[in-house]
Amino acid sequence: MKSSSMSAGLIAALISCVSFGTSGAFVKPLLEAGWSPVAAVTARALTAGLVLLPFVLFALRGRWAALWRARWRVLGMGLVGVAFTQAAYFAAIQRIPVATALLIEFLAPLLLVALAWATTRRRPRAMVLLGSVLAVGGLVLVIGPGALQAVDPIGLAIAFCAAVGCAAYFLIAARPADGLPPVALAGSGLLLAGVVLALISTTGLLPFSATYGDLSLFDITVPWWTPLLVVAVIGTAVAYASGIAASAILGSRLASFIGLLEVVSASLFAWLLLGEKLTPLQFVGGALILGGIAAVRMEGSAPQDAPEAAGVTDAAGVPDDAQPIGLTTGRV
């Protein structure tokens, strides 16, 4: 991979992480005003899809054949990468603590390493294993050691489904584009996901509620749609479009490890915008995650990490008494 392409991919991945990380600080006022998590994520997905729609149309410029050729990627991104992952996460947190659900979902990079191992029948190189250990250890420290606890096994299973969906997101994003621009995949996938989540909400399986009055955002009274628009544009539209572009360049494995920085970014924005404290353990955790990413990146030039290797493609806040907003990430 050319160094210029790698640099572009790393920049896109970091933009995605930072964008996702802003979501928690802006979703929190909606949740405190009476929005349910499912209502917030449905509204942000639909709004983000509509925001991206003009860019989708411009990128395609009438080349609808590209969208048709990529129909399975679009369906996979919308139904699995976004809607299924979101629904599984919110179903999980009805049974287990938020921190535990987040920890399990962000094990997605390990699932990708295991998938590559199973499909290629080659043990991951030492640097990948080292990076996995460092990254997961750092994730535990950033989210909080309290996430490691015995809880409802059904809730754990549902959270693991969310991890599978998160891994699928990176795999689908890293598939060969076949003429479909990343922004088109992001926009069409988000629109589809928003519609599906809205339909799920009508079943009553997940609580759906929203309020439409003024609310407080950083001690300023604003209309309800202000934080929603920020989350939709920055924390969703920009985040998904740049994340998909990054996965296409870097491969799903490296992109997924970089994606762990979302929890670090969310904690930093909670500190800067909401005044929430950062603990020494979180700083250590962030450093470990960076170390893990560096280890995986050092092995990134190996053939098994390339997007075309062995047929394996490398690819909202929830208030809780035990969950600081720093645990809120943009992908969920």
Side-chain angles (χ1 to χ4, degrees), residues 203-245:
T203 66
L205 294 176
L206 296 171
F208 191 98
S209 61
T211 59
Y212 304 103
D214 291 344
L215 47 77
S216 178
L217 178 66
F218 310 142
D219 298 325
I220 301 175
T221 300
V222 298
W224 63 270
W225 49 263
T226 301
L228 177 61
L229 192 59
V230 174
V231 170
V233 174
I234 299 176
T236 310
V238 172
Y240 273 98
S242 56
I244 290 171

mmCIF file of all heavy atoms in Angstrom, residues 203-245:
data_model
loop_
_atom_site.group_PDB
_atom_site.id
_atom_site.type_symbol
_atom_site.label_atom_id
_atom_site.label_comp_id
_atom_site.label_asym_id
_atom_site.label_seq_id
_atom_site.Cartn_x
_atom_site.Cartn_y
_atom_site.Cartn_z
ATOM 1 N N THR A 203 -43.051 -2.043 16.893
ATOM 2 C CA THR A 203 -43.380 -3.345 17.472
ATOM 3 C C THR A 203 -43.435 -3.312 18.992
ATOM 4 O O THR A 203 -43.966 -4.225 19.610
ATOM 5 C CB THR A 203 -42.338 -4.404 17.044
ATOM 6 O OG1 THR A 203 -41.064 -4.070 17.615
ATOM 7 C CG2 THR A 203 -42.220 -4.456 15.528
ATOM 8 N N GLY A 204 -42.840 -2.283 19.587
ATOM 9 C CA GLY A 204 -42.809 -2.197 21.038
ATOM 10 C C GLY A 204 -41.715 -3.020 21.686
ATOM 11 O O GLY A 204 -41.639 -3.088 22.914
ATOM 12 N N LEU A 205 -40.843 -3.645 20.883
ATOM 13 C CA LEU A 205 -39.763 -4.446 21.448
ATOM 14 C C LEU A 205 -38.751 -3.582 22.184
ATOM 15 O O LEU A 205 -38.149 -4.017 23.163
ATOM 16 C CB LEU A 205 -39.059 -5.234 20.327
ATOM 17 C CG LEU A 205 -39.902 -6.315 19.640
ATOM 18 C CD1 LEU A 205 -39.118 -6.936 18.482
ATOM 19 C CD2 LEU A 205 -40.299 -7.390 20.653
ATOM 20 N N LEU A 206 -38.561 -2.369 21.708
ATOM 21 C CA LEU A 206 -37.662 -1.418 22.344
ATOM 22 C C LEU A 206 -38.426 -0.123 22.603
ATOM 23 O O LEU A 206 -39.219 0.310 21.767
ATOM 24 C CB LEU A 206 -36.438 -1.146 21.457
ATOM 25 C CG LEU A 206 -35.507 -2.334 21.190
ATOM 26 C CD1 LEU A 206 -34.477 -1.982 20.136
ATOM 27 C CD2 LEU A 206 -34.828 -2.781 22.478
ATOM 28 N N PRO A 207 -38.203 0.513 23.755
ATOM 29 C CA PRO A 207 -38.954 1.733 24.095
ATOM 30 C C PRO A 207 -38.636 2.873 23.132
ATOM 31 O O PRO A 207 -37.476 3.109 22.795
ATOM 32 C CB PRO A 207 -38.483 2.053 25.515
ATOM 33 C CG PRO A 207 -37.163 1.371 25.653
ATOM 34 C CD PRO A 207 -37.248 0.126 24.807
ATOM 35 N N PHE A 208 -39.669 3.567 22.691
ATOM 36 C CA PHE A 208 -39.506 4.668 21.742
ATOM 37 C C PHE A 208 -40.304 5.861 22.245
ATOM 38 O O PHE A 208 -41.523 5.813 22.345
ATOM 39 C CB PHE A 208 -39.999 4.253 20.354
ATOM 40 C CG PHE A 208 -39.643 5.221 19.259
ATOM 41 C CD1 PHE A 208 -38.545 4.999 18.449
ATOM 42 C CD2 PHE A 208 -40.406 6.360 19.045
ATOM 43 C CE1 PHE A 208 -38.206 5.886 17.438
ATOM 44 C CE2 PHE A 208 -40.076 7.256 18.042
ATOM 45 C CZ PHE A 208 -38.968 7.010 17.236
ATOM 46 N N SER A 209 -39.596 6.941 22.586
ATOM 47 C CA SER A 209 -40.265 8.157 23.042
ATOM 48 C C SER A 209 -39.406 9.358 22.683
ATOM 49 O O SER A 209 -38.179 9.258 22.609
ATOM 50 C CB SER A 209 -40.502 8.123 24.560
ATOM 51 O OG SER A 209 -39.266 8.035 25.257
ATOM 52 N N ALA A 210 -40.065 10.498 22.444
ATOM 53 C CA ALA A 210 -39.351 11.719 22.077
ATOM 54 C C ALA A 210 -40.150 12.919 22.537
ATOM 55 O O ALA A 210 -41.377 12.875 22.644
ATOM 56 C CB ALA A 210 -39.123 11.774 20.573
ATOM 57 N N THR A 211 -39.444 14.003 22.856
ATOM 58 C CA THR A 211 -40.074 15.267 23.222
ATOM 59 C C THR A 211 -39.578 16.352 22.269
ATOM 60 O O THR A 211 -38.486 16.227 21.698
ATOM 61 C CB THR A 211 -39.726 15.655 24.667
ATOM 62 O OG1 THR A 211 -38.299 15.764 24.800
ATOM 63 C CG2 THR A 211 -40.219 14.602 25.645
ATOM 64 N N TYR A 212 -40.362 17.411 22.116
ATOM 65 C CA TYR A 212 -40.033 18.397 21.095
ATOM 66 C C TYR A 212 -40.035 19.823 21.629
ATOM 67 O O TYR A 212 -40.322 20.774 20.906
ATOM 68 C CB TYR A 212 -41.017 18.270 19.926
ATOM 69 C CG TYR A 212 -41.049 16.877 19.358
ATOM 70 C CD1 TYR A 212 -42.105 16.002 19.668
ATOM 71 C CD2 TYR A 212 -40.024 16.410 18.554
ATOM 72 C CE1 TYR A 212 -42.138 14.712 19.172
ATOM 73 C CE2 TYR A 212 -40.042 15.115 18.051
ATOM 74 C CZ TYR A 212 -41.094 14.278 18.364
ATOM 75 O OH TYR A 212 -41.108 12.995 17.874
ATOM 76 N N GLY A 213 -39.660 19.977 22.874
ATOM 77 C CA GLY A 213 -39.553 21.312 23.444
ATOM 78 C C GLY A 213 -38.111 21.789 23.476
ATOM 79 O O GLY A 213 -37.196 21.103 23.007
ATOM 80 N N ASP A 214 -37.912 22.988 24.014
ATOM 81 C CA ASP A 214 -36.548 23.488 24.180
ATOM 82 C C ASP A 214 -35.832 22.675 25.257
ATOM 83 O O ASP A 214 -36.455 22.090 26.147
ATOM 84 C CB ASP A 214 -36.569 24.960 24.588
ATOM 85 C CG ASP A 214 -37.069 25.865 23.467
ATOM 86 O OD1 ASP A 214 -37.092 25.393 22.303
ATOM 87 O OD2 ASP A 214 -37.436 27.016 23.742
ATOM 88 N N LEU A 215 -34.517 22.628 25.159
ATOM 89 C CA LEU A 215 -33.725 21.903 26.145
ATOM 90 C C LEU A 215 -32.415 22.638 26.398
ATOM 91 O O LEU A 215 -32.079 23.598 25.701
ATOM 92 C CB LEU A 215 -33.464 20.460 25.676
ATOM 93 C CG LEU A 215 -32.980 20.229 24.238
ATOM 94 C CD1 LEU A 215 -31.516 20.546 24.072
ATOM 95 C CD2 LEU A 215 -33.245 18.790 23.821
ATOM 96 N N SER A 216 -31.706 22.192 27.410
ATOM 97 C CA SER A 216 -30.456 22.834 27.798
ATOM 98 C C SER A 216 -29.275 22.124 27.154
ATOM 99 O O SER A 216 -29.108 20.911 27.309
ATOM 100 C CB SER A 216 -30.304 22.817 29.319
ATOM 101 O OG SER A 216 -29.067 23.390 29.711
ATOM 102 N N LEU A 217 -28.458 22.890 26.434
ATOM 103 C CA LEU A 217 -27.254 22.368 25.804
ATOM 104 C C LEU A 217 -26.081 23.214 26.267
ATOM 105 O O LEU A 217 -25.943 24.375 25.883
ATOM 106 C CB LEU A 217 -27.378 22.417 24.279
ATOM 107 C CG LEU A 217 -26.167 21.941 23.487
ATOM 108 C CD1 LEU A 217 -25.931 20.449 23.705
ATOM 109 C CD2 LEU A 217 -26.344 22.238 21.993
ATOM 110 N N PHE A 218 -25.251 22.649 27.142
ATOM 111 C CA PHE A 218 -24.106 23.363 27.708
ATOM 112 C C PHE A 218 -24.559 24.670 28.367
ATOM 113 O O PHE A 218 -24.007 25.750 28.139
ATOM 114 C CB PHE A 218 -23.055 23.664 26.639
ATOM 115 C CG PHE A 218 -22.674 22.468 25.813
ATOM 116 C CD1 PHE A 218 -22.434 22.600 24.455
ATOM 117 C CD2 PHE A 218 -22.579 21.212 26.381
ATOM 118 C CE1 PHE A 218 -22.089 21.497 23.689
ATOM 119 C CE2 PHE A 218 -22.234 20.105 25.618
ATOM 120 C CZ PHE A 218 -21.993 20.249 24.262
ATOM 121 N N ASP A 219 -25.657 24.562 29.147
ATOM 122 C CA ASP A 219 -26.217 25.683 29.913
ATOM 123 C C ASP A 219 -26.838 26.755 29.027
ATOM 124 O O ASP A 219 -27.060 27.893 29.469
ATOM 125 C CB ASP A 219 -25.135 26.328 30.801
ATOM 126 C CG ASP A 219 -24.594 25.355 31.837
ATOM 127 O OD1 ASP A 219 -25.381 24.520 32.323
ATOM 128 O OD2 ASP A 219 -23.383 25.417 32.127
ATOM 129 N N ILE A 220 -27.108 26.433 27.776
ATOM 130 C CA ILE A 220 -27.797 27.352 26.864
ATOM 131 C C ILE A 220 -29.092 26.685 26.406
ATOM 132 O O ILE A 220 -29.101 25.509 26.041
ATOM 133 C CB ILE A 220 -26.930 27.698 25.640
ATOM 134 C CG1 ILE A 220 -25.616 28.335 26.079
ATOM 135 C CG2 ILE A 220 -27.669 28.625 24.674
ATOM 136 C CD1 ILE A 220 -24.646 28.588 24.936
ATOM 137 N N THR A 221 -30.207 27.436 26.420
ATOM 138 C CA THR A 221 -31.491 26.890 25.987
ATOM 139 C C THR A 221 -31.574 26.938 24.462
ATOM 140 O O THR A 221 -31.405 27.996 23.844
ATOM 141 C CB THR A 221 -32.657 27.687 26.592
ATOM 142 O OG1 THR A 221 -32.576 27.613 28.028
ATOM 143 C CG2 THR A 221 -33.988 27.113 26.136
ATOM 144 N N VAL A 222 -31.806 25.784 23.865
ATOM 145 C CA VAL A 222 -31.854 25.681 22.402
ATOM 146 C C VAL A 222 -33.041 24.810 22.011
ATOM 147 O O VAL A 222 -33.565 24.049 22.828
ATOM 148 C CB VAL A 222 -30.550 25.059 21.842
ATOM 149 C CG1 VAL A 222 -29.344 25.937 22.157
ATOM 150 C CG2 VAL A 222 -30.345 23.654 22.387
ATOM 151 N N PRO A 223 -33.499 24.897 20.744
ATOM 152 C CA PRO A 223 -34.548 23.982 20.277
ATOM 153 C C PRO A 223 -34.045 22.538 20.275
ATOM 154 O O PRO A 223 -32.846 22.281 20.154
ATOM 155 C CB PRO A 223 -34.815 24.471 18.842
ATOM 156 C CG PRO A 223 -34.263 25.857 18.782
ATOM 157 C CD PRO A 223 -33.103 25.881 19.718
ATOM 158 N N TRP A 224 -34.961 21.602 20.373
ATOM 159 C CA TRP A 224 -34.603 20.183 20.459
ATOM 160 C C TRP A 224 -33.809 19.699 19.249
ATOM 161 O O TRP A 224 -32.985 18.803 19.344
ATOM 162 C CB TRP A 224 -35.860 19.326 20.620
ATOM 163 C CG TRP A 224 -36.794 19.426 19.430
ATOM 164 C CD1 TRP A 224 -37.812 20.316 19.273
ATOM 165 C CD2 TRP A 224 -36.779 18.618 18.261
ATOM 166 N NE1 TRP A 224 -38.444 20.125 18.065
ATOM 167 C CE2 TRP A 224 -37.826 19.079 17.418
ATOM 168 C CE3 TRP A 224 -35.997 17.558 17.818
ATOM 169 C CZ2 TRP A 224 -38.093 18.513 16.176
ATOM 170 C CZ3 TRP A 224 -36.257 16.992 16.580
ATOM 171 C CH2 TRP A 224 -37.296 17.459 15.769
ATOM 172 N N TRP A 225 -34.074 20.338 18.095
ATOM 173 C CA TRP A 225 -33.426 19.844 16.872
ATOM 174 C C TRP A 225 -31.964 20.284 16.757
ATOM 175 O O TRP A 225 -31.231 19.762 15.910
ATOM 176 C CB TRP A 225 -34.196 20.302 15.630
ATOM 177 C CG TRP A 225 -34.527 21.766 15.584
ATOM 178 C CD1 TRP A 225 -35.706 22.352 15.942
ATOM 179 C CD2 TRP A 225 -33.661 22.829 15.165
ATOM 180 N NE1 TRP A 225 -35.633 23.716 15.767
ATOM 181 C CE2 TRP A 225 -34.396 24.035 15.293
ATOM 182 C CE3 TRP A 225 -32.360 22.888 14.698
ATOM 183 C CZ2 TRP A 225 -33.860 25.277 14.970
ATOM 184 C CZ3 TRP A 225 -31.817 24.117 14.376
ATOM 185 C CH2 TRP A 225 -32.562 25.290 14.507
ATOM 186 N N THR A 226 -31.510 21.206 17.600
ATOM 187 C CA THR A 226 -30.126 21.671 17.510
ATOM 188 C C THR A 226 -29.112 20.562 17.817
ATOM 189 O O THR A 226 -28.241 20.267 16.996
ATOM 190 C CB THR A 226 -29.894 22.877 18.434
ATOM 191 O OG1 THR A 226 -30.792 23.934 18.058
ATOM 192 C CG2 THR A 226 -28.456 23.372 18.320
ATOM 193 N N PRO A 227 -29.195 19.919 18.998
ATOM 194 C CA PRO A 227 -28.243 18.823 19.243
ATOM 195 C C PRO A 227 -28.439 17.657 18.295
ATOM 196 O O PRO A 227 -27.477 16.989 17.910
ATOM 197 C CB PRO A 227 -28.516 18.424 20.697
ATOM 198 C CG PRO A 227 -29.894 18.902 20.981
ATOM 199 C CD PRO A 227 -30.073 20.142 20.168
ATOM 200 N N LEU A 228 -29.700 17.412 17.891
ATOM 201 C CA LEU A 228 -29.958 16.319 16.955
ATOM 202 C C LEU A 228 -29.255 16.574 15.627
ATOM 203 O O LEU A 228 -28.655 15.659 15.034
ATOM 204 C CB LEU A 228 -31.461 16.152 16.734
ATOM 205 C CG LEU A 228 -31.868 15.084 15.711
ATOM 206 C CD1 LEU A 228 -31.383 13.706 16.154
ATOM 207 C CD2 LEU A 228 -33.381 15.085 15.512
ATOM 208 N N LEU A 229 -29.294 17.823 15.152
ATOM 209 C CA LEU A 229 -28.661 18.152 13.876
ATOM 210 C C LEU A 229 -27.143 18.012 13.968
ATOM 211 O O LEU A 229 -26.496 17.513 13.034
ATOM 212 C CB LEU A 229 -29.032 19.576 13.461
ATOM 213 C CG LEU A 229 -28.695 19.973 12.014
ATOM 214 C CD1 LEU A 229 -29.402 19.051 11.031
ATOM 215 C CD2 LEU A 229 -29.082 21.426 11.764
ATOM 216 N N VAL A 230 -26.573 18.424 15.104
ATOM 217 C CA VAL A 230 -25.122 18.284 15.282
ATOM 218 C C VAL A 230 -24.729 16.806 15.262
ATOM 219 O O VAL A 230 -23.760 16.406 14.602
ATOM 220 C CB VAL A 230 -24.671 18.935 16.608
ATOM 221 C CG1 VAL A 230 -23.188 18.647 16.865
ATOM 222 C CG2 VAL A 230 -24.901 20.438 16.561
ATOM 223 N N VAL A 231 -25.492 15.991 15.989
ATOM 224 C CA VAL A 231 -25.201 14.557 16.030
ATOM 225 C C VAL A 231 -25.373 13.928 14.648
ATOM 226 O O VAL A 231 -24.576 13.090 14.221
ATOM 227 C CB VAL A 231 -26.117 13.851 17.053
ATOM 228 C CG1 VAL A 231 -25.991 12.337 16.931
ATOM 229 C CG2 VAL A 231 -25.758 14.286 18.456
ATOM 230 N N ALA A 232 -26.434 14.347 13.941
ATOM 231 C CA ALA A 232 -26.701 13.762 12.632
ATOM 232 C C ALA A 232 -25.613 14.114 11.623
ATOM 233 O O ALA A 232 -25.162 13.259 10.857
ATOM 234 C CB ALA A 232 -28.066 14.222 12.123
ATOM 235 N N VAL A 233 -25.184 15.391 11.620
ATOM 236 C CA VAL A 233 -24.215 15.830 10.621
ATOM 237 C C VAL A 233 -22.807 15.360 10.967
ATOM 238 O O VAL A 233 -22.125 14.719 10.157
ATOM 239 C CB VAL A 233 -24.243 17.367 10.480
ATOM 240 C CG1 VAL A 233 -23.130 17.833 9.544
ATOM 241 C CG2 VAL A 233 -25.598 17.824 9.950
ATOM 242 N N ILE A 234 -22.362 15.682 12.193
ATOM 243 C CA ILE A 234 -20.966 15.382 12.567
ATOM 244 C C ILE A 234 -20.833 13.961 13.083
ATOM 245 O O ILE A 234 -19.990 13.183 12.624
ATOM 246 C CB ILE A 234 -20.466 16.384 13.618
ATOM 247 C CG1 ILE A 234 -20.502 17.811 13.067
ATOM 248 C CG2 ILE A 234 -19.050 16.022 14.063
ATOM 249 C CD1 ILE A 234 -20.109 18.870 14.055
ATOM 250 N N GLY A 235 -21.648 13.604 14.069
ATOM 251 C CA GLY A 235 -21.497 12.321 14.739
ATOM 252 C C GLY A 235 -22.039 11.132 13.980
ATOM 253 O O GLY A 235 -21.863 9.996 14.409
ATOM 254 N N THR A 236 -22.711 11.382 12.846
ATOM 255 C CA THR A 236 -23.274 10.260 12.086
ATOM 256 C C THR A 236 -22.874 10.333 10.615
ATOM 257 O O THR A 236 -22.188 9.449 10.106
ATOM 258 C CB THR A 236 -24.807 10.226 12.212
ATOM 259 O OG1 THR A 236 -25.180 10.312 13.595
ATOM 260 C CG2 THR A 236 -25.359 8.933 11.642
ATOM 261 N N ALA A 237 -23.291 11.405 9.918
ATOM 262 C CA ALA A 237 -23.004 11.503 8.483
ATOM 263 C C ALA A 237 -21.500 11.527 8.214
ATOM 264 O O ALA A 237 -20.971 10.714 7.447
ATOM 265 C CB ALA A 237 -23.676 12.747 7.902
ATOM 266 N N VAL A 238 -20.800 12.464 8.850
ATOM 267 C CA VAL A 238 -19.349 12.558 8.655
ATOM 268 C C VAL A 238 -18.658 11.309 9.191
ATOM 269 O O VAL A 238 -17.744 10.762 8.567
ATOM 270 C CB VAL A 238 -18.790 13.815 9.348
ATOM 271 C CG1 VAL A 238 -17.263 13.819 9.313
ATOM 272 C CG2 VAL A 238 -19.329 15.071 8.672
ATOM 273 N N ALA A 239 -19.107 10.828 10.350
ATOM 274 C CA ALA A 239 -18.461 9.690 10.996
ATOM 275 C C ALA A 239 -18.553 8.429 10.149
ATOM 276 O O ALA A 239 -17.554 7.731 9.938
ATOM 277 C CB ALA A 239 -19.086 9.457 12.368
ATOM 278 N N TYR A 240 -19.741 8.124 9.659
ATOM 279 C CA TYR A 240 -19.901 6.903 8.869
ATOM 280 C C TYR A 240 -19.229 7.021 7.507
ATOM 281 O O TYR A 240 -18.588 6.067 7.038
ATOM 282 C CB TYR A 240 -21.379 6.557 8.703
ATOM 283 C CG TYR A 240 -21.933 5.735 9.835
ATOM 284 C CD1 TYR A 240 -22.639 6.325 10.875
ATOM 285 C CD2 TYR A 240 -21.737 4.354 9.868
ATOM 286 C CE1 TYR A 240 -23.143 5.575 11.920
ATOM 287 C CE2 TYR A 240 -22.244 3.594 10.909
ATOM 288 C CZ TYR A 240 -22.947 4.205 11.932
ATOM 289 O OH TYR A 240 -23.425 3.451 12.977
ATOM 290 N N ALA A 241 -19.374 8.162 6.850
ATOM 291 C CA ALA A 241 -18.762 8.324 5.524
ATOM 292 C C ALA A 241 -17.242 8.206 5.606
ATOM 293 O O ALA A 241 -16.612 7.509 4.796
ATOM 294 C CB ALA A 241 -19.164 9.664 4.919
ATOM 295 N N SER A 242 -16.631 8.874 6.583
ATOM 296 C CA SER A 242 -15.173 8.806 6.726
ATOM 297 C C SER A 242 -14.738 7.427 7.216
ATOM 298 O O SER A 242 -13.686 6.907 6.816
ATOM 299 C CB SER A 242 -14.670 9.892 7.681
ATOM 300 O OG SER A 242 -15.305 9.800 8.955
ATOM 301 N N GLY A 243 -15.543 6.785 8.076
ATOM 302 C CA GLY A 243 -15.203 5.455 8.558
ATOM 303 C C GLY A 243 -15.221 4.415 7.452
ATOM 304 O O GLY A 243 -14.356 3.532 7.394
ATOM 305 N N ILE A 244 -16.199 4.508 6.577
ATOM 306 C CA ILE A 244 -16.277 3.579 5.445
ATOM 307 C C ILE A 244 -15.105 3.800 4.502
ATOM 308 O O ILE A 244 -14.488 2.841 4.013
ATOM 309 C CB ILE A 244 -17.622 3.743 4.714
ATOM 310 C CG1 ILE A 244 -18.759 3.210 5.599
ATOM 311 C CG2 ILE A 244 -17.612 3.028 3.361
ATOM 312 C CD1 ILE A 244 -20.141 3.505 5.071
ATOM 313 N N ALA A 245 -14.781 5.067 4.248
ATOM 314 C CA ALA A 245 -13.629 5.368 3.395
ATOM 315 C C ALA A 245 -12.343 4.828 4.008
ATOM 316 O O ALA A 245 -11.486 4.276 3.303
ATOM 317 C CB ALA A 245 -13.532 6.879 3.171
#
